[in-house]
Amino acid sequence: MPRGRYSLHDPHDHTPLGEEHFHCAPGPSGWRYVSQITTPSGDHAGSVDLAIDDLGRPIRLELHASSWQVRGAAIDGVTWVRTDPTGTHATEGNVPAHTFTGTSPAFLVAATRLLRLTPGSRATRIRLVAFTDPVLAPRTIDQSWALLKSEAHATDNGPLMVDEYQVNALDTGEQHHIHIAGDVVLAAPGLELEHLETPPSTFL
């Protein structure tokens, strides 16, 4: 079960945004990721609990940030309920999208499980519902993903297979690269893997 810590920062000016302390593991029916998010000063800022099935579809999502809460799952596209800090108002949403996304590295791993890309294949378009900080406001976005290459890197625990993805935002044309090993994101815009206690899990 990989357990570790990501540092979060603004992808444009690199302002520190905090840290995400996580653990994750594949199971008989898919993969689960749980994390606690802290501010740069160490205060609690939110949490992520994401479970996907063996095909990469979100079967349960629970997000907390700034006292806002989102619960969602893949139902008729994706469906979610967003609750305000007072707990008195809940808004339900539904979009014919493939999955969810947000600032957590969990969503990047989940997207790769859903797409199952192979090196050199054509870019694949995907529609996502993004929950944006600090109030988890939903926004539908379109991206294209391509797996550029998979390379083995030598480590103390044996070779580690690292996948490099190219992700394009179809509304702005912005392009960036993501490096993932198993179920751990090694590097992506806005985050860095700072500490990892155990090696990444390998998906079958």
Side-chain angles (χ1 to χ4, degrees), residues 12 20 22 26 37 52 60 65 95 123 151 159 168 176 184:
H12 303 290
E20 186 161 337
F22 74 95
I37 302 166
I52 60 175
R60 187 183 70 257
V95 170
E151 290 185 340
N168 289 8
H176 56 268
V184 173

Side-chain angles (χ1 to χ4, degrees), residues 62-65 67-71 81-85 135-136:
E62 185 169 331
L63 300 176
H64 292 267
S67 299
W68 290 83
Q69 175 183 284
V70 165
R71 293 176 183 264
V81 176
R82 176 172 172 263
T83 308
D84 74 338
V135 295
L136 302 179

Side-chain angles (χ1 to χ4, degrees), residues 1-160:
M1 177 186 292
R3 183 183 300 270
R5 171 172 50 87
Y6 294 105
S7 63
L8 310 175
H9 57 264
D10 187 292
H12 303 290
D13 62 13
H14 299 287
T15 301
L17 299 177
E19 294 185 333
E20 186 161 337
H21 301 257
F22 74 95
H23 61 272
C24 57
S29 60
W31 178 74
R32 187 179 180 197
Y33 176 101
V34 177
S35 71
Q36 298 292 323
I37 302 166
T38 58
T39 66
S41 61
D43 296 329
H44 178 74
S47 62
V48 177
D49 188 340
L50 173 66
I52 60 175
D53 67 13
D54 200 41
L55 297 177
R57 298 170 300 194
I59 53 178
R60 187 183 70 257
L61 170 67
E62 185 169 331
L63 300 176
H64 292 267
S66 303
S67 299
W68 290 83
Q69 175 183 284
V70 165
R71 293 176 183 264
I75 303 171
D76 296 326
V78 293
T79 298
W80 68 92
V81 176
R82 176 172 172 263
T83 308
D84 74 338
T86 67
T88 57
H89 300 287
T91 305
E92 184 173 328
N94 173 263
V95 170
H98 297 95
T99 189
F100 300 110
T101 192
T103 56
S104 174
F107 296 112
L108 301 177
V109 175
T112 65
R113 300 305 301 155
L114 183 70
L115 294 171
R116 306 291 176 100
L117 301 175
T118 56
S121 60
R122 295 182 60 182
T124 299
R125 179 171 177 155
I126 184 173
R127 173 160 290 181
L128 313 102
V129 172
F131 294 107
T132 55
D133 294 332
V135 295
L136 302 179
R139 182 169 62 97
T140 304
I141 63 174
D142 291 298
Q143 296 178 339
S144 71
W145 283 62
L147 176 54
L148 300 183
K149 59 185 176 181
S150 297
E151 290 185 340
H153 293 254
T155 71
D156 294 339
N157 298 310
L160 181 68

Side-chain angles (χ1 to χ4, degrees), residues 152-175:
H153 293 254
T155 71
D156 294 339
N157 298 310
L160 181 68
M161 189 61 67
V162 178
D163 296 327
E164 180 181 353
Y165 294 88
Q166 179 178 295
V167 181
N168 289 8
L170 298 183
D171 55 347
T172 64
E174 187 176 9
Q175 183 180 106

